[in-house]
Amino acid sequence: MRKILENMKVFDGLYKLTGEKGYPFITCGEMIKLSVLQYYGINIMPLMSESNFFYKFLEDAEKGVLSFGISTPKLCDTFNLEKSVGIGSSSFSPQAVNMMEVLLERIKNNYPVDLVIDLYYQKGRDFYYQNEHGGHSLLVYGFDDEKKELYVIDNVRGYDYYILSYEDAMELCKNIFDLGDYIKQWGYIRAFHRTDNIDTYSCNYTSQIVDMFKTGMLQQKESRLESIRLIQKLRDRYDEFMLHREFTTNINSIVYKKWSENCRMKFLYEYIGYSNEQQKCLDELISKVICTWKDIYILLNYKIIRDNVSHNYEAEKSLLDSLFDMECTYTAKLVEFL
């Protein structure tokens, strides 16, 4: 048997904006939801509008503060994306021997599937493969039983369509429960389905989402500014963070998450009603922020390649000072223009 969910598309908003196929919109989880929403003909605006972007120190319960990154808290605690757009999901945590049976049954019923894998076993992952365990979501949208193949959307070499053998899929999930108890609790196979035919393109619906966005941004302004002040603390502790091997990966994630914020705002301009002058102002500010983080990333990689971690970091610290000022201005304008 062969089954493919037709018209499943890779969200290409960030690719069009950056030219980089490897950048997700926020995370792999959001990328899957964007494909699912498009598959069901649902407006992606609610997903674009539901989160804020805060800087934070990344911590481990045993190791303490490890690095620096960006979190994306919800703008409204009571907002449920799936319920809002009329989709539901069911999660499963089968033992490895039953994994393919459960997975294929969902596809047969026309349900796209979010499959969580362990990057430790996925070839092509330079940082993770045979080096570091980490959960990652890919989207399964079809299979061919005769060829023993799954059709998936993933970002091994950039977000695109891939073919994954049954054997390789089993390998990627063979020790999935070792990632943590949350896998058993929430499941590593998550199937999506349509529950209600909600008109997510209607003026009434989009107006409600815009109101949620505006209210959340206004209410969280001070919290966002407080998170931006962490850039100053990163500056003061930069020498310390240079010693963590995750630091390069975390700075790269800041780059694509700031690109995600830029992508989100470009999408929302037409709904929120920013003037052309306001759009240009915001675009120029966020572009400077992104370019500055990229400069830090380039300097970081250069010094690691040259094994020069004892070098002074005045250039990077100067860039962080500039980032702090730019981010404060961007947030102020973002809220002021609302």
Side-chain angles (χ1 to χ4, degrees):
M1 180 179 181
R2 186 175 188 266
K3 174 79 175 184
I4 294 180
L5 305 184
E6 302 293 343
N7 300 317
M8 186 63 71
K9 296 179 180 179
V10 181
F11 174 72
D12 61 359
L14 252 68
Y15 174 62
K16 289 179 178 178
L17 189 62
T18 69
E20 292 280 351
K21 272 197 166 185
Y23 286 162
F25 179 80
I26 304 181
T27 70
C28 55
E30 272 75 21
M31 287 295 287
I32 285 176
K33 291 176 185 177
L34 285 164
S35 288
V36 170
L37 293 180
Q38 292 176 128
Y39 171 69
Y40 285 121
I42 296 170
N43 194 347
I44 64 172
M45 182 214 178
L47 189 151
M48 289 287 186
S49 308
E50 69 172 342
S51 301
N52 209 334
F53 292 78
F54 284 13
Y55 288 103
K56 65 176 291 187
F57 284 107
L58 307 175
E59 300 185 48
D60 182 275
E62 297 179 357
K63 301 177 183 177
V65 175
L66 292 177
S67 197
F68 190 75
I70 286 179
S71 64
T72 51
K74 302 302 180 188
L75 285 168
C76 176
D77 291 337
T78 60
F79 180 72
N80 183 302
L81 176 67
E82 292 185 14
K83 184 177 181 180
S84 169
V85 300
I87 60 173
S89 63
S90 302
S91 297
F92 306 87
S93 294
Q95 294 300 314
V97 67
N98 298 320
M99 186 194 95
M100 292 307 302
E101 178 185 353
V102 174
L103 178 60
L104 300 187
E105 187 62 29
R106 310 283 84 75
I107 301 296
K108 289 176 185 177
N109 289 323
N110 298 310
Y111 298 162
V113 172
D114 174 349
L115 176 65
V116 178
I117 64 170
D118 187 346
L119 292 173
Y120 182 86
Y121 302 103
Q122 190 174 41
K123 295 177 181 178
R125 301 288 183 177
D126 293 339
F127 178 78
Y128 288 96
Y129 182 59
Q130 298 294 307
N131 180 56
E132 184 87 11
H133 292 277
H136 169 70
S137 288
L138 53 83
L139 180 65
V140 184
Y141 67 94
F143 68 88
D144 188 318
D145 236 351
E146 183 176 339
K147 295 180 179 179
K148 305 298 182 185
E149 292 175 342
L150 297 176
Y151 301 106
V152 306
I153 292 175
D154 198 6
N155 71 332
V156 182
R157 297 177 301 277
Y159 272 98
D160 213 332
Y161 303 99
Y162 295 88
I163 295 175
L164 184 65
S165 71
Y166 287 7
E167 182 180 357
D168 286 344
M170 296 286 289
E171 175 72 11
L172 294 174
C173 299
K174 66 179 182 180
N175 293 317
I176 196 69
F177 296 117
D178 291 345
L179 289 178
D181 292 338
Y182 73 95
I183 294 292
K184 292 181 180 179
Q185 181 179 359
W186 299 107
Y188 69 93
I189 294 175
R190 185 183 183 200
F192 295 95
H193 57 276
R194 198 74 194 262
T195 57
D196 294 298
N197 189 24
I198 297 172
D199 185 0
T200 56
Y201 291 93
S202 70
C203 291
N204 182 55
Y205 181 88
T206 56
S207 294
Q208 292 179 35
I209 299 298
V210 167
D211 288 344
M212 179 192 73
F213 177 80
K214 289 182 176 181
T215 300
M217 291 299 293
L218 289 167
Q219 290 178 343
Q220 294 183 12
K221 178 185 176 182
E222 290 306 316
S223 296
R224 178 169 167 135
L225 288 172
E226 187 65 30
S227 85
I228 292 170
R229 295 186 186 100
L230 296 179
I231 294 175
Q232 295 175 311
K233 294 185 178 180
L234 173 64
R235 180 200 183 281
D236 295 338
R237 300 179 61 183
Y238 194 84
D239 304 54
E240 172 190 343
F241 284 110
M242 272 293 296
L243 301 176
H244 294 296
R245 66 189 182 91
E246 299 94 346
F247 193 44
T248 307
T249 303
N250 294 140
I251 296 300
N252 186 50
S253 76
I254 291 176
V255 172
Y256 67 68
K257 284 180 180 177
K258 294 311 291 187
W259 272 122
S260 297
E261 184 169 22
N262 190 14
C263 178
R264 177 269 279 283
M265 290 310 303
K266 283 182 174 294
F267 182 86
L268 292 179
Y269 284 157
E270 64 173 292
Y271 290 102
I272 296 175
Y274 288 121
S275 69
N276 290 336
E277 292 78 13
Q278 290 172 337
Q279 292 178 32
K280 182 180 178 182
C281 174
L282 292 173
D283 284 345
E284 288 178 351
L285 283 169
I286 193 75
S287 293
K288 289 178 181 178
V289 168
I290 293 167
C291 287
T292 305
W293 276 117
K294 288 177 72 173
D295 287 343
I296 292 174
Y297 179 73
I298 291 169
L299 285 169
L300 176 59
N301 273 296
Y302 174 77
K303 289 178 179 178
I304 289 176
I305 290 171
R306 292 177 62 90
D307 197 23
N308 196 8
V309 294
S310 62
H311 192 277
N312 77 76
Y313 306 113
E314 292 309 311
E316 292 93 322
K317 292 179 179 180
S318 177
L319 289 172
L320 288 168
D321 286 335
S322 298
L323 268 170
F324 171 74
D325 293 334
M326 286 185 284
E327 281 283 31
C328 286
T329 303
Y330 179 71
T331 294
K333 293 296 184 183
L334 197 60
V335 174
E336 175 189 334
F337 294 159
L338 291 174

